[in-house]
């Protein structure tokens, strides 16, 4: 099969519905020739429904990034679907969560327990997921790609999730440094707002949308996850063989505009 991911094996986290960016990454990866494995947590029935809408059937593995046992046996469980001695070429980290009291303008009052949860799931999990899969990535080298929202600035109502995204961006750079000698690249895609299930849970999401409506130099469609998904697939491919520690903005150019 031809395509920029032909012959590659990619693990994709974070698919919840067929509107999520992660779903469209999985779809495009299959269309570009990759074999895809999905992980899910919580609403597994919803993930299974979304997975059935992909071009090809995929295995689904339960993964709670706060469950050390899930992480400890993740490589073995993925390996069962890939076959003996077969490694991974790519990992997509599309995992994020924040308790509601860490969002919505409550920045000064958020307790540490909620902050810690947001940082562990949204940032530290990039490290824990990647290291859990090193036995498979070490066989072939490859690419780890995560999803962010530009954390160089603050966003209305985003609060401690914005801090968690800043931690994610720093984590990706340190991982890129540590894993370079294994030929493993680590990059992020910083996407503009997309009207996903996760986005709708953010208080003040409409404020984010208005920022893009008012300031983005290119027209931005919050109902179209594909531009961000294409960015992820490109970074998974061999077309960026020496790009690591990078944040690629797929946001209509808003990050470059001061006003």
């Amino acid at each position: 099969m031809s395509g920029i991911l032909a012959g590659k094996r990619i693990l994709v986290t974070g698919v919840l519905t067929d509107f999520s960016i992660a779903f469209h990454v999985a779809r495009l990866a299959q269309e570009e020739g990759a074999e895809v494995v999905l992980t899910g947590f919580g609403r597994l029935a919803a993930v299974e429904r979304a997975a059935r809408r992909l071009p090809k059937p995929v295995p689904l593995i339960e993964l709670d990034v706060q469950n050390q046992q899930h992480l400890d046996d993740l490589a073995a469980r993925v390996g069962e679907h890939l076959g003996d001695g077969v490694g991974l070429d790519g990992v997509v980290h599309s995992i994020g969560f924040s308790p509601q009291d860490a969002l919505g303008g409550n920045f000064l009052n958020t307790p540490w327990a909620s902050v810690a949860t947001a940082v562990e799931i949204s940032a530290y999990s990039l490290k824990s997921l990647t290291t859990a899969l090193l036995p498979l990535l070490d066989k072939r080298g490859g690419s780890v790609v995560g999803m962010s929202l530009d954390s160089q600035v603050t966003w209305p109502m985003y609060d401690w999730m914005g801090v968690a995204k800043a931690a994610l961006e720093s984590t990706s750079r340190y991982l890129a440094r540590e894993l370079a000698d294994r030929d493993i690249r680590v990059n992020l895609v910083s996407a503009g707002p997309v009207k996903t299930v996760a986005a709708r849970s953010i208080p003040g999401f409409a404020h984010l949308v208005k920022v893009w409506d008012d300031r983005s130099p290119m027209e931005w469609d919050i109902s179209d996850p594909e531009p961000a998904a294409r960015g992820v697939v490109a970074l998974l491919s061999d077309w960026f063989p020496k790009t690591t520690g990078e944040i690629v903005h797929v946001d209509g150019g808003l990050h470059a505009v001061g006003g």
Side-chain angles (χ1 to χ4, degrees):
M1 179 180 290
S2 61
I4 63 172
L5 297 183
K8 294 192 179 297
R9 296 166 176 87
I10 308 294
L11 181 135
V12 180
T13 68
V15 171
L16 184 55
T17 71
D18 59 352
F19 198 74
S20 64
I21 295 173
F23 172 87
H24 287 274
V25 170
R27 174 182 63 79
L28 289 168
Q30 287 188 333
E31 291 174 358
E32 291 295 330
E35 180 180 344
V36 172
V37 177
L38 299 184
T39 74
F41 174 65
R43 296 169 57 187
L44 289 180
V47 182
E48 290 171 350
R49 285 194 298 272
R52 288 195 290 270
R53 297 185 177 98
L54 289 170
K56 298 179 181 178
V58 294
L60 171 61
I61 296 171
E62 184 178 16
L63 173 63
D64 174 4
V65 292
Q66 291 185 293
N67 184 322
Q68 191 58 48
Q69 187 59 51
H70 281 198
L71 293 165
D72 289 344
D73 63 15
L74 180 60
R77 289 186 289 148
V78 174
E80 290 174 1
H81 295 287
L82 298 179
D84 292 339
V86 176
L88 275 174
D89 300 284
V91 177
V92 178
H93 178 279
S94 185
I95 299 170
F97 172 78
S98 174
Q100 284 299 301
D101 62 353
L103 296 165
N106 195 46
F107 186 85
L108 296 180
N109 300 311
T110 304
W112 166 244
S114 296
V115 174
T117 297
V119 172
E120 179 183 8
I121 297 176
S122 306
Y124 182 78
S125 65
L126 179 65
K127 193 282 300 186
S128 56
L129 175 68
T130 302
T131 54
L133 292 169
L134 280 180
L136 298 176
L137 289 166
D138 273 341
K139 296 178 185 298
R140 304 163 70 100
S143 176
V144 177
V145 185
M147 300 297 304
S148 189
L149 175 67
D150 193 347
S151 65
Q152 299 177 89
V153 295
T154 64
W155 298 104
M157 307 293 202
Y158 207 46
D159 293 358
W160 287 99
M161 192 61 175
V163 176
K165 289 297 187 182
L168 174 71
E169 293 181 3
S170 185
T171 300
S172 72
R173 289 188 287 267
Y174 276 94
L175 275 175
R177 179 188 180 110
E178 294 294 327
L179 299 179
D181 62 352
R182 301 174 187 241
D183 198 29
I184 297 171
R185 296 169 283 125
V186 184
N187 297 288
L188 298 180
V189 167
S190 179
V194 177
K195 197 174 180 181
T196 62
V197 170
R200 289 197 295 270
S201 70
I202 300 172
F205 180 70
H207 291 279
L208 278 178
V209 173
K210 188 175 188 308
V211 171
W212 261 261
D213 287 344
D214 293 344
R215 290 180 49 205
S216 178
M218 298 182 75
E219 184 178 358
W220 184 257
D221 183 357
I222 66 166
S223 66
D224 186 6
E226 186 155 328
R230 285 178 174 268
V232 173
V233 169
L235 287 169
L236 290 170
S237 79
D238 293 333
W239 286 98
F240 287 87
K242 299 298 179 183
T243 298
T244 194
E246 187 60 84
I247 300 173
V248 176
H249 290 81
V250 184
D251 66 351
L254 185 137
H255 72 283
V257 178

